[in-house]
Amino acid sequence: MKPFDYLEHTADIKFRAYGENVAEMLNNAALALFNAMIDTSTVQIIDTWKVNLSATELEQLAYNWLSELVFLFETEFAIFSKFNIKIEQNKEWKLEAQIGGEKIDIKRHTFDNEVKAITLHEFIIKKNDFWCIQVVLDV
Amino acid sequence: MINKVDNNVYEVPIGYRPGMRVPGRIFVSEELLKMVEPGTIDQVANVATLPGIVKYSMALPDAHLGYGFPIGGVAAFHENGGIISPGGVGFDINCGVRLLYSNLEARSVQPLISTLIDDLFQAVPSGVGATSRLHVSDHELTETFIHGAKWAVEQGYGVEADIEHCEENGSMAGADPAQVSIKARKRGRPQLGTLGSGNHFLEIQKVEEIFDQTIAKRFGLFKGQITVMIHCGSRGAGHQICTDHLEVISRAVHKYKIDIPDKQLSCAPIGSPEAKNYFGAMVCAANYAWSNRHIIAHWTREVFEKYFNYAKLDLLYDVAHNVAKIEEHKLNDKLERLYVHRKGATRAFGPGRIEVPAAYRDLGQPVLIPGSMGTPSYVLCGSDKALELTFGSACHGAGRIMSRTRAKKTYTGQDVKAALSGKGIKVKATHPAMLAEEAPQVYKPSDKVVEVVHNLGIATKVAKLVPLGVSKG
């Protein structure tokens, strides 16, 4: 199973990310988000960040997760390429993640795009044989 | 499925998709209609399903696929029974355009274009991770949210006269900083006074052609003159404000039992706490954007003054093209208060409207339509016809036709730079890849888009501006 793929969209960036479980799907969605901006293979794991989120719906959790990453990218001036995610589902969905990456170095990091925000346009999560999330990014 | 109702006017009939409350109207020529993706027409139809929508869900000639609302879209909602939708404004709240006209002639500036663009690129931070030369405090940020460009003028950026030439005088009423999250503040604080990336730009232009001598003279324009265009918005502050409130409102649709075809169209009834909170925060972002363009304009003036001590760059006008406004419009001969959402659309009020600056009130509002890096930009003048047809709106640019991914596969940044250089246009960007995705060919031809607006009489052509140098993120 490929981790994610990009679909054609005139003005913005649309992707689908896949996973055997919710954690893997959200991990691959995060990779798709950052690969839309930069070749993440050029990102070294120097620092780590932590994210804790909860939501009543899975879609809300996923939206908040990706939005949180955009927020961290912009306010920490950092780019990420490794995501260790733990998901718990009781009364509500809980996400605990450790994120690896480094501070942006314009000399080394070549950006293709800058993602402004995660949209809810055609934002879908589906589970068949595997989990799939579809996201449109505003760039 | 869609019907031609007049020259340059097409209707998306009720029934095109279930739940449409009004028809859609696409203002486009036959030639440009071929470039409108089926997805865009679906988006026009989707907007037509929202509660309280008035007359039509509209799309202007630059219309293309957006997220939720189409880009180039206009939708107005009744104060009673209508809604406010963060998606109808977009993430880059008050992304807009400002045009400065100079007392300089192109022939004296042209030899220095490379130097000027290099200096402007340094003076106005742009691109990913750029932080401003300003270091505003949290209190100053609040002042910006409330007072917009007026705050910037008080701090010594720009002059009082500039304010009169901004839509809403650069300071929209109704700001509620309490509705702006700490996250939005954290994103906004270091970015006040930055251009951003993507399609945002700072461009030195030359007035190549005058179409209406009388109005051009009143707008301060003459052939061969240097103008500067600034295109940017509310940066991370606006993006985060929309993200935060979209999340809240997407949950509120269940509470208010609003049936929407796409979650990005999430909306809340006008008067509901969710709608009020969003509107108060949206105004903060709009004011931030006016302040941002004001500060950038000030730094631009400083660069020009360094090389031409007699240089004077006055503000012709500053327009928002992603915003929701409370406006009065005539419906069945009665003036009604409507919430007009413009998503990639410019206000284009005709003569007499109180919102038009006093200096232009007898003529109509200046309408600024930027081209892409290699294609001309236009200055037009708003008309009564716009009030009749489009709630006083015109298009906001040329409109994309090619995705960023395909653009990068088709063109390289170096090729684009070389091709523009061949046309005498100097371009400076943080990275060449950014140029590939903004190649002139990825946009519709701006002259054809403007022609539709002119022929419909929504706004009439005043002047054509061609790029000489561009600074990009």
Side-chain angles (χ1 to χ4, degrees):
Chain A
M1 181 172 52
K2 55 188 168 182
F4 55 82
D5 51 14
Y6 295 103
L7 286 79
E8 197 64 21
H9 190 283
T10 316
D12 297 301
I13 292 171
K14 190 173 182 176
F15 69 77
R16 281 185 191 152
Y18 313 95
E20 296 283 353
N21 48 50
V22 171
E24 191 182 341
M25 173 186 74
L26 293 182
N27 175 70
N28 289 335
L31 275 173
L33 163 64
F34 285 101
N35 262 295
M37 293 199 252
I38 188 171
D39 175 0
T40 51
S41 66
T42 65
V43 178
Q44 296 170 18
I45 313 297
I46 294 171
D47 295 314
T48 55
W49 288 261
K50 277 187 177 156
V51 172
N52 286 292
L53 295 168
S54 59
T56 47
E57 305 283 334
L58 176 58
E59 281 194 4
Q60 195 192 338
L61 186 83
Y63 182 75
N64 291 349
W65 160 241
L66 296 172
S67 297
E68 185 68 19
L69 291 173
V70 172
F71 169 74
L72 284 176
F73 155 71
E74 209 170 281
T75 52
E76 294 289 310
F77 304 101
I79 189 89
F80 318 111
S81 63
K82 189 144 183 66
F83 311 91
N84 286 318
I85 303 173
K86 272 190 216 154
I87 297 285
E88 263 182 58
Q89 190 199 5
N90 293 315
K91 274 186 185 161
E92 57 177 11
W93 290 86
K94 275 193 179 153
L95 175 148
E96 203 184 301
Q98 197 168 13
I99 304 162
E102 60 172 323
K103 294 279 181 186
I104 294 169
D105 175 359
I106 287 298
K107 288 191 199 87
R108 240 171 359 94
H109 295 136
T110 303
F111 284 88
D112 290 337
N113 286 294
E114 185 178 23
V115 172
K116 292 178 191 167
I118 313 298
T119 79
L120 281 177
H121 176 50
E122 297 178 353
F123 192 96
I124 301 162
I125 297 176
K126 270 189 184 165
K127 185 185 181 286
N128 293 319
D129 293 341
F130 47 83
W131 287 87
C132 172
I133 182 169
Q134 177 175 280
V135 183
V136 176
L137 307 169
D138 183 21
V139 290
Chain B
M1 271 302 266
I2 67 167
N3 315 313
K4 185 172 180 174
V5 288
D6 205 343
N7 276 341
N8 299 319
V9 185
Y10 291 83
E11 181 154 289
V12 185
I14 291 180
Y16 182 89
R17 60 146 294 137
M20 286 173 73
R21 294 164 195 261
V22 294
R25 278 269 157 120
I26 304 178
F27 298 93
V28 71
S29 63
E30 207 170 326
E31 185 186 359
L32 290 174
L33 182 66
K34 291 179 193 140
M35 297 181 193
V36 176
E37 318 91 322
T40 307
I41 300 168
D42 294 345
Q43 290 183 340
V44 171
N46 286 348
V47 172
T49 67
L50 298 177
I53 188 166
V54 177
K55 275 172 95 172
Y56 306 105
S57 160
M58 299 173 187
L60 294 157
D62 55 343
H64 65 81
L65 196 66
Y67 48 87
F69 279 63
I71 310 296
V74 179
F77 299 88
H78 267 296
E79 197 178 20
N80 300 316
I83 52 90
I84 299 180
S85 170
V89 173
F91 288 93
D92 198 359
I93 297 164
N94 189 5
C95 184
V97 176
R98 131 177 326 224
L99 185 68
L100 303 165
Y101 64 97
S102 77
N103 59 346
L104 304 170
E105 293 202 33
R107 56 175 179 221
S108 51
V109 173
Q110 233 149 353
L112 281 173
I113 281 293
S114 285
T115 315
L116 284 165
I117 287 295
D118 287 345
D119 270 29
L120 286 169
F121 190 77
Q122 291 301 323
V124 182
S126 63
V128 177
T131 50
S132 178
R133 293 156 60 196
L134 277 177
H135 300 283
V136 291
S137 67
D138 222 35
H139 171 72
E140 287 172 314
L141 188 65
T142 305
E143 291 294 299
T144 311
F145 285 151
I146 300 171
H147 303 294
K150 281 183 186 157
W151 173 83
V153 170
E154 279 166 19
Q155 305 308 306
Y157 298 96
V159 292
E160 193 66 36
D162 292 338
I163 297 292
E164 290 163 28
H165 288 195
C166 283
E167 188 172 330
E168 297 285 336
N169 292 331
S171 174
M172 194 169 163
D176 184 359
Q179 306 311 326
V180 179
S181 69
I182 292 167
K183 279 185 174 175
R185 285 176 166 275
K186 210 169 166 190
R187 282 176 82 171
R189 245 179 83 174
Q191 294 182 352
L192 186 64
T194 61
L195 196 62
S197 60
N199 60 357
H200 295 158
F201 63 76
L202 198 165
E203 188 168 281
I204 303 175
Q205 309 165 322
K206 175 178 89 170
V207 178
E208 193 179 68
E209 198 176 345
I210 299 283
F211 303 103
D212 187 319
Q213 282 294 349
T214 316
I215 300 180
K217 205 171 169 197
R218 291 278 305 279
F219 283 177
L221 297 172
F222 60 87
K223 199 174 169 181
Q225 178 186 25
I226 288 291
T227 58
V228 176
M229 191 175 265
I230 299 163
H231 175 206
C232 64
S234 52
R235 311 285 292 110
H239 309 161
Q240 189 67 39
I241 284 170
C242 183
T243 300
D244 294 339
H245 288 267
L246 177 65
E247 205 269 328
V248 172
I249 289 183
S250 69
R251 283 180 283 132
V253 289
H254 305 298
K255 182 168 126 191
Y256 296 113
K257 298 185 173 62
I258 301 171
D259 196 17
I260 44 165
D262 181 26
K263 281 190 256 338
Q264 186 65 29
L265 298 180
S266 293
C267 52
I270 291 166
S272 68
E274 291 86 354
K276 276 186 190 161
N277 292 349
Y278 165 67
F279 196 76
M282 183 212 75
V283 174
C284 289
N287 287 339
Y288 178 103
W290 273 306
S291 182
N292 194 32
R293 291 197 287 275
H294 217 79
I295 292 160
I296 291 172
H298 178 77
W299 289 334
T300 302
R301 284 170 174 158
E302 283 183 345
V303 168
F304 272 84
E305 282 160 11
K306 196 169 129 190
Y307 296 96
F308 304 92
N309 57 14
Y310 56 94
K312 214 167 160 299
L313 280 91
D314 289 324
L315 180 55
L316 195 152
Y317 202 52
D318 181 306
V319 288
H321 55 224
N322 282 353
V323 78
K325 308 275 279 281
I326 306 166
E327 293 171 356
E328 286 194 331
H329 288 276
K330 217 183 246 180
L331 288 175
N332 306 321
D333 284 331
K334 218 175 106 193
L335 272 182
E336 301 235 24
R337 259 161 67 95
L338 303 176
Y339 281 67
V340 183
H341 292 59
R342 295 191 180 90
K343 172 79 184 296
T346 299
R347 199 185 67 183
F349 279 179
R353 288 286 299 222
I354 191 79
E355 296 93 336
V356 179
Y360 311 132
R361 202 166 293 152
D362 59 321
L363 302 169
Q365 179 208 306
V367 175
L368 313 174
I369 303 181
S372 61
M373 281 187 297
T375 59
S377 298
Y378 288 83
V379 179
L380 295 91
C381 186
S383 78
D384 288 337
K385 192 85 180 171
L387 289 163
E388 188 190 309
L389 285 181
T390 57
F391 295 115
S393 315
C395 64
H396 85 309
R400 272 194 97 90
I401 41 173
M402 191 190 286
S403 74
R404 290 166 205 270
T405 330
R406 191 139 38 101
K408 274 181 200 138
K409 279 183 194 152
T410 317
Y411 311 106
T412 69
Q414 275 85 358
D415 291 345
V416 172
K417 199 169 177 175
L420 291 172
S421 174
K423 283 192 196 171
I425 305 166
K426 154 90 182 171
V427 183
K428 188 146 174 109
T430 44
H431 195 270
M434 290 280 188
L435 294 180
E437 67 167 64
E438 292 296 312
Q441 299 89 329
V442 310
Y443 288 96
K444 295 173 194 176
S446 59
D447 49 351
K448 290 190 176 159
V449 172
V450 166
E451 214 51 44
V452 177
V453 171
H454 180 81
N455 290 341
L456 279 165
I458 290 172
T460 54
K461 290 195 290 183
V462 177
K464 176 178 171 180
L465 320 168
V466 293
L468 299 178
V470 194
S471 172
K472 293 207 50 103

